[in-house]
Each structure stands twice: as C-alpha cells, then as structure tokens.
Amino acid sequence: MRAELSLRCAQLYIYPVKSFFYCRQIVRMASSASDDEQKHNNANDDPLSATFLHIKARTSPYVNSNQARFTLPDDKVAWSVPFADYKPPYYTHPGVLSSKLPDASLEKLKTDKSIKFKFNALDGKIDRRSHMGRYALDGNLPLNPMGRTGLIGRGLLWRWGPNHAADPIVTRWMRSNNDAQQDIVKDAVTQKPILEFVAIERTDGGGWAIPGGMVDPGENVSRTLRREFGEETMDTYGIKEASEKAKVQQQIDAFFKHGKEVYKGYADDPRNTDNAWMETVAYNFHDSDGDQVGKFSLKAGDDASKVKWMKIDKNLHLYASHKAFIQRVVKLHDAHW
C-alpha cells in the first residue's frame, strides 16, 4: 500500500561551512527496500529526495538481535497521522547499556533528575543538532524526524537523538589491468565511463558498504573521513617502515582536502529507532588520474572482513542508504549506471 503524505520544509542549523534549506517531500512510502531499488535504477532518479529515506529503518527483527519491531503500515509512519494502537517494544542493546561512554539509559534518566541533555543544540562536545532541522521531543526523549520505526529505545546507537557519521566515497575510473596509464573503460551499452569505489564488507552488520564511521565528540567531519578511510580500508597499505607510512599518510591527507559533499541528512539505517537515528555527511573524493589513492592495493582493517575497489552500476546492493549516495556520485561524474 502506498500513502500520500505531506510536503514540509525544514531549515537546517547554520554551520561554519555552509547553510542551506532542506525541503523534504514525502510523496509515497515504498513497501520494501527491494521495491525502492527497482524503482531507482536510473541514475537521474534520486531516492534521497523522496520518502525512500525511511525503509530500512523499519527492518524487523532489529539488526543483530531477535527483537521484533511493531509492524507499521506505510500510512502510519508519519507522526502527524494518529495511531492509538501504536505500542512499540523498548530495546537498547546490552552492550550499549554496559558501556560508560554512551548516553545514560532510560532507567537512569527516570531516577537521576540531574542528568540533562541539550537536545537540538551543541551539548558540550556532543552535537545533538540534526541536519533535518529541529526535531520534536516526546517528554524528555527525541522523536525520529522521519516518523515511527516500530521500536523505542536506542538499539545499538549510543546517543539519544541524532548519531552523526561521515561517509567518504572514494572513487577512481575503471582502467584495463588497474593500470593508471591505460584508457578508462566504458560500458558497451551506455558508452559512459565506469566508476569504481572503495567498498568494505562489514563484520558488524554484514553486506558491502562505504567505509564510514562515527564522528567522535569534538571531531570535525573532514578529520573523521580521513581517519575512517585509513582505519577501515587501508590498514596502512601493508607498509611497515615509519618513513613510508608517513609518506603515504601525507598523500592521503592531501587527497582528502578536495572532496565534494554529495549528501547531508538522515540515513535510512536498520539501527534507527523512534528515539535514536543515524545522520551522515557523505563526500566524494575522486582520483581522476588513478595515481593517488587509486594506485593502492586494499587490505581489511580490524573491524572489516573484506575491502576492494568495486565496480559501480545499478545492480549494487549496499548497506543502509549507501546505494543512494553512490547514485549521486554517478550523476556528479556523468558515469555509467
């Protein structure tokens, strides 16, 4: 079933780099993630511009658990639609509750009135602002700006409200024998050049993904992008000598100074709940000549099982909203899809 929902625009907070308006048009809710992918096999279609942001966030059972979500019909996702029978279960992963680093638990919030979070604001070093604009509160807890998910609590997420991440999309042109001196390979049908991007197969959620990571408190996005690319994909390139490591790191630092933002906002992530959700900033870093990071062989870091240069086309199956981010990169470079 498809539901016609309303158009609303939200003004984002003004950040040092740039400010802009994000207009979110909720036209129709797709019934499954597979439907979403089938309907957006054209590179000019942008699933991030419509309702396809909130599909995987309703995946049941909850990722890496046996916790079932409350079943939601598409037309009851929006908070603006009354749903008196909505009684989602509460779930926060035991690993989150046992750590001292995440936000205080719901139980502790109820008993310790001295704990106060500055939602919709910069809370010390923790940025609790959303790229989607101001989010509503249900009592003392934030509400997911994209609507109901069928689960309350934090799941696997550390923060109540937005959990900020950064996704570096590192690309190069496909070339014969992976040789930067060879011609760029074009698709036989579209006659457009083929892109490749750095992909990892995660061990903490399964499936191929962009090598993104969480933005640490007090850390800016550009530093996170450089850190995550090194930690999750390069594994220091197999180089052992300190002088060689430093040389490679300088090359990476220089490369990551020239990225282009392709997305900033809500991430349709299976870890999302009614009270905690992922948001990300995705940048494309393109090695056009293939003689910078494009020349490196890739090895997996400690928390990734596989890493490789992956061909980009419409048949990609990636984690969370990552395929949609890749689509924007394809359009940016007028590449094959």
Side-chain angles (χ1 to χ4, degrees), residues 102-282:
D103 289 344
S105 66
L106 180 60
E107 292 76 11
K108 195 166 185 178
L109 289 176
K110 291 178 178 179
T111 58
D112 190 344
K113 300 301 181 182
S114 66
I115 300 176
K116 302 290 184 182
F117 294 125
K118 296 180 180 178
F119 292 121
N120 287 303
L122 188 61
D123 190 1
K125 291 185 177 182
I126 300 174
D127 193 350
R128 301 188 188 277
R129 296 171 294 187
S130 170
H131 298 314
M132 306 296 290
R134 292 188 66 84
Y135 48 87
L137 300 179
D138 181 15
N140 295 323
L141 296 181
L143 287 178
N144 189 314
M146 295 303 294
R148 303 177 177 97
T149 68
L151 197 70
I152 58 177
R154 278 178 296 163
L156 286 165
L157 300 179
W158 281 22
R159 308 294 175 203
W160 297 105
N163 289 253
H164 293 288
D167 289 307
I169 305 170
V170 179
T171 55
R172 70 180 185 183
W173 294 115
M174 177 183 285
R175 299 175 189 269
S176 300
N177 301 319
N178 295 324
D179 185 348
Q181 303 303 316
Q182 299 294 320
D183 292 336
I184 297 172
V185 177
K186 293 185 178 181
D187 181 76
V189 177
T190 65
Q191 288 299 302
K192 289 189 173 185
I194 300 173
L195 281 170
E196 296 178 319
F197 79 105
V198 175
I200 59 169
E201 187 178 38
R202 301 291 298 181
T203 60
D204 59 359
W208 290 95
I210 298 167
M214 304 305 295
V215 177
D216 291 339
E219 185 177 44
N220 60 46
V221 170
S222 62
R223 182 178 177 183
T224 302
L225 292 166
R226 293 196 301 271
R227 168 172 58 80
E228 289 301 325
F229 187 76
E231 288 180 359
E232 294 196 22
T233 65
M234 290 302 173
D235 195 24
T236 325
Y237 323 115
I239 299 173
K240 297 181 179 180
E241 292 188 12
S243 60
E244 287 299 312
K245 288 183 180 180
K247 182 179 179 179
V248 170
Q249 189 59 53
Q250 288 178 354
Q251 293 175 347
I252 293 299
D253 289 344
F255 178 73
F256 275 98
K257 289 181 180 179
H258 305 287
K260 184 173 181 60
E261 181 183 303
V262 294
Y263 180 71
K264 175 160 46 175
Y266 183 88
D268 184 24
D269 193 292
R271 292 170 293 182
N272 293 352
T273 72
D274 286 6
N275 311 120
W277 60 91
M278 292 295 304
E279 298 192 9
T280 193
V281 179

Side-chain angles (χ1 to χ4, degrees), residues 7-10 21-25 49:
L7 169 69
R8 74 185 187 98
C9 295
F21 287 85
Y22 175 82
C23 292
R24 181 178 51 158
Q25 184 179 16
S49 67

Side-chain angles (χ1 to χ4, degrees), residues 14 31 113 217 241 284 306 315 321:
I14 298 177
S31 61
K113 300 301 181 182
E241 292 188 12
N284 176 220
K306 295 179 183 177
N315 297 315
S321 301

Side-chain angles (χ1 to χ4, degrees), residues 23-76:
C23 292
R24 181 178 51 158
Q25 184 179 16
I26 299 183
V27 183
R28 293 179 299 177
M29 290 303 296
S31 61
S32 68
S34 59
D35 286 346
D36 175 23
E37 293 182 352
Q38 291 171 4
K39 289 178 179 297
H40 290 274
N41 282 336
N42 187 318
N44 292 320
D45 293 336
D46 189 352
L48 294 172
S49 67
T51 67
F52 305 94
L53 284 170
H54 201 173
I55 301 298
K56 295 183 180 179
R58 290 187 283 157
T59 301
S60 186
Y62 186 84
V63 62
N64 291 339
S65 78
N66 294 319
Q67 178 62 60
R69 293 182 186 263
F70 185 95
T71 302
L72 277 169
D74 293 344
D75 60 349
K76 293 294 192 297

Side-chain angles (χ1 to χ4, degrees), residues 316-330:
L316 285 174
H317 293 282
L318 301 176
Y319 183 78
S321 301
H322 291 187
K323 182 177 179 179
F325 302 158
I326 294 293
Q327 275 186 262
R328 288 196 171 186
V329 173
V330 167

